[in-house]
Amino acid sequence: MSMLAVLRGPQQVLFGAGQRAALGRVTAALGSHALVVTDARFGSTPEFADLVRLLEQAGVRVTAFTEVLPDVPVHQVGECAELASRVSPDVVVGMGGGSCIDLAKAVAVVLTHGGQPSDYYGEMRVPGPVLPVVALPTTAGTGSEVTPVAVLTDPERTSKVGISSPFLIPHTALCDPELTLGCPPGLTASAGADALSHAIEAFTAVRRPVSPELATERVFVGKSEIADTFALLGIRLIAGSLFRAWSDPTDMEAREAMMLGATAGGFALGTAGTAAAHAIQYPVGAITHTPHGIGVGCLLPYVMEFNRPSRIPELATVALAMGASPDSSPEDLADEAIQRVADLLAAVEVPRTLADLGLPADRLRWTAEQALLAERLVTNNPRPLDVDALEQIVRAAHSGDRGALRDAAPVLAGASAATTADGR
Ligand SMILES: NC(=O)c1ccc[n+]([C@@H]2O[C@H](COP(=O)([O-])OP(=O)(O)OC[C@H]3O[C@@H](n4cnc5c(N)ncnc54)[C@H](O)[C@@H]3O)[C@@H](O)[C@H]2O)c1
Ligand SMILES: [Fe+2]
């Protein structure tokens, strides 16, 4: 096996309680007129007023768009760009959950290069650098503050769409865990499940043969050494703090660990990419209107079970990062990793089955067919996937029968190709 390592990220990540106070200085170094992008909730808080004051005290003019909707309907990119085009901002500040940061990133693309968001859907379609983005997350989940992707909802498509390019990585991530103290338990769970899924899907992703084209033609290159380090950091931190942050929202130590874990997960996903759990969540979310993190969290143990035959050593390492004793065999540790993930997500009340999420039983084949269309995610999965294999995962996740995947594993489509697809 040849080693592969790719590192992309913001020019700076400033992490820690109270770091938001650096916003004025950080932004003034990048521009003199900031487009601030947030949602109605954060826009009405005293913290938001304080941040705007900090910008103004640093000599930065502020134009604010405070209407971001969850999951960012694509028409909001045009609305926000229209507001901004009247004032010509030279820096964009995204404050809020992943939705606010994603809109900030998408608007920076359109303000710089013109056109419609759809001109940039897919990978590597942004032609050059965009207005600098400063990102302040208020959830510990998406990692968008460090990732090269903006996720949007386009009514013309069934699934969500992404603009993926290294040019979308924010210039500065200002990660202040105090901003997550207001997250209610349900949001803490969905964001935390998303972050855990990023770290685990990145750590178990396909391993691609090293080539000079790999990282210049692809945003998401599969498993890589540096991404692994971030993934394991994320898994360790989230495993130790998600339940605490969920059960006691004021537990600052847990909030800090969750936010650092989510940012680490963002670094991992930003180069390695995610896989089957994310591919299947898109159609599930489109039908059930359940949050992204809840969907990927519900699916994660089933996808780990499906991938187990190809990823025993990696899953064993996941178990160790989650606190398992090293005395067991790799096979037993791999099982323990899946069980620990399932137990943690159940403890924070992530629904255990797709039926619980409201996916109708007559839409299981359709869900698999739609998931297959997310080709970038499907081909990033360590075990090859076709529509039948995806349907088996969907069926098991719908009925809650993880054992069905275990029993069926040797005869699943593509099982024999699993060791060649990842270059090993
Ligand atoms: N760009 C990326 O790399 C990336 C990665 C994964 C997911 N995503 C996308 O990010 C979006 C999800 O982002 P999210 O999970 O952060 O949620 P979100 O931004 O959609 O926000 C969900 C709700 O939580 C509220 N909220 C946010 N912070 C809060 C706080 N501190 N206290 C109380 N309420 C708060 C928001 O106002 C909103 O009502 C989805 O569209 C998903 O597809 C993006
Ligand atoms: Fe995600």
Side-chain angles (χ1 to χ4, degrees):
M1 179 198 84
S2 306
M3 288 175 90
L4 169 70
V6 175
L7 176 62
R8 300 191 189 109
Q11 295 201 9
Q12 49 182 356
V13 176
L14 306 183
F15 178 93
Q19 285 287 4
R20 64 188 184 281
L23 179 66
R25 270 166 288 142
V26 161
T27 309
L30 297 171
S32 56
H33 192 148
L35 172 67
V36 173
V37 179
T38 191
D39 59 16
R41 182 204 69 85
F42 193 64
S44 64
T45 60
E47 286 87 356
F48 176 75
D50 287 345
L51 289 166
V52 169
R53 208 168 16 252
L54 282 171
L55 288 167
E56 290 173 343
Q57 283 166 357
V60 179
R61 281 181 62 197
V62 172
T63 298
F65 180 88
T66 57
E67 292 158 34
V68 182
L69 296 170
D71 302 320
V72 199
V74 68
H75 69 83
Q76 289 210 303
V77 182
E79 284 169 20
C80 187
E82 156 73 20
L83 169 76
S85 63
R86 287 186 239 139
V87 296
S88 301
D90 45 14
V91 55
V92 182
V93 180
M95 304 175 180
S99 298
C100 297
I101 297 173
D102 283 1
L103 181 55
K105 291 155 84 170
V107 164
V109 173
V110 170
L111 286 177
T112 311
H113 297 293
Q116 306 298 321
S118 56
D119 299 338
Y120 308 103
Y121 289 171
E123 279 197 55
M124 295 289 193
R125 297 188 61 201
V126 177
V130 304
L131 286 182
V133 173
V134 178
L136 277 88
T138 64
T139 57
T142 70
S144 181
E145 65 276 10
V146 300
T147 71
V149 56
V151 183
L152 307 170
T153 305
D154 187 334
E156 312 258 304
R157 321 266 176 130
T158 308
S159 281
K160 281 185 165 181
V161 289
I163 302 175
S164 301
S165 159
F167 294 122
L168 258 75
I169 298 173
H171 177 284
T172 297
L174 263 187
C175 304
D176 187 337
E178 287 177 358
L179 292 177
T180 65
L181 285 169
C183 291
L187 180 60
T188 302
S190 75
D194 192 21
L196 183 64
S197 305
H198 296 160
I200 291 180
E201 291 218 287
F203 191 69
T204 54
V206 75
R207 191 187 291 278
R208 297 181 195 282
V210 184
S211 80
E213 290 79 31
L214 183 56
T216 50
E217 291 179 357
R218 283 178 172 274
V219 177
F220 303 103
V221 301
K223 191 169 171 61
S224 99
E225 302 298 329
I226 298 176
D228 279 0
T229 305
F230 281 111
L232 288 176
L233 174 64
I235 292 165
R236 178 172 62 76
L237 289 169
I238 294 165
S241 58
L242 176 54
F243 182 75
R244 283 173 55 193
W246 176 82
S247 53
D248 176 5
T250 66
D251 183 337
M252 191 57 198
E253 208 177 80
R255 291 294 195 186
E256 285 182 332
M258 278 307 298
M259 184 168 251
L260 190 56
T263 302
F267 270 107
L269 114 84
T271 48
T274 52
H278 276 72
I280 300 171
Q281 188 279 324
Y282 286 130
V284 169
I287 288 202
T288 61
H289 304 290
T290 46
H292 170 79
I294 292 293
V296 287
C298 172
L299 285 156
L300 184 62
Y302 302 96
V303 168
M304 292 170 77
E305 189 73 60
F306 176 81
N307 287 333
R308 184 184 178 282
S310 307
R311 284 293 178 264
I312 298 273
E314 287 81 2
L315 290 175
T317 307
V318 168
L320 296 177
M322 296 185 79
S325 146
D327 299 336
S328 309
S329 68
E331 287 75 13
D332 287 349
L333 281 170
D335 290 341
E336 190 171 340
I338 301 169
Q339 195 56 49
R340 279 181 178 254
V341 166
D343 289 347
L344 176 60
L345 294 172
V348 298
E349 296 181 359
V350 170
R352 218 174 53 80
T353 72
L354 293 179
D356 293 342
L357 280 188
L359 186 71
D362 61 359
R363 300 305 289 274
L364 305 189
R365 180 74 179 179
W366 176 89
T367 301
E369 287 166 356
Q370 292 295 313
L372 193 66
L373 299 178
E375 193 194 338
R376 168 176 73 74
L377 302 172
V378 166
T379 57
N380 215 36
N381 199 65
R383 268 187 92 180
L385 291 167
D386 60 14
V387 70
D388 294 326
L390 281 161
E391 189 180 348
Q392 272 179 298
I393 300 174
V394 172
R395 284 197 178 281
H398 192 266
S399 63
D401 186 3
R402 233 168 53 217
L405 290 169
R406 169 64 64 89
D407 298 341
V411 295
L412 283 176
S416 61
T419 49
T420 53
D422 66 0
R424 295 202 284 181

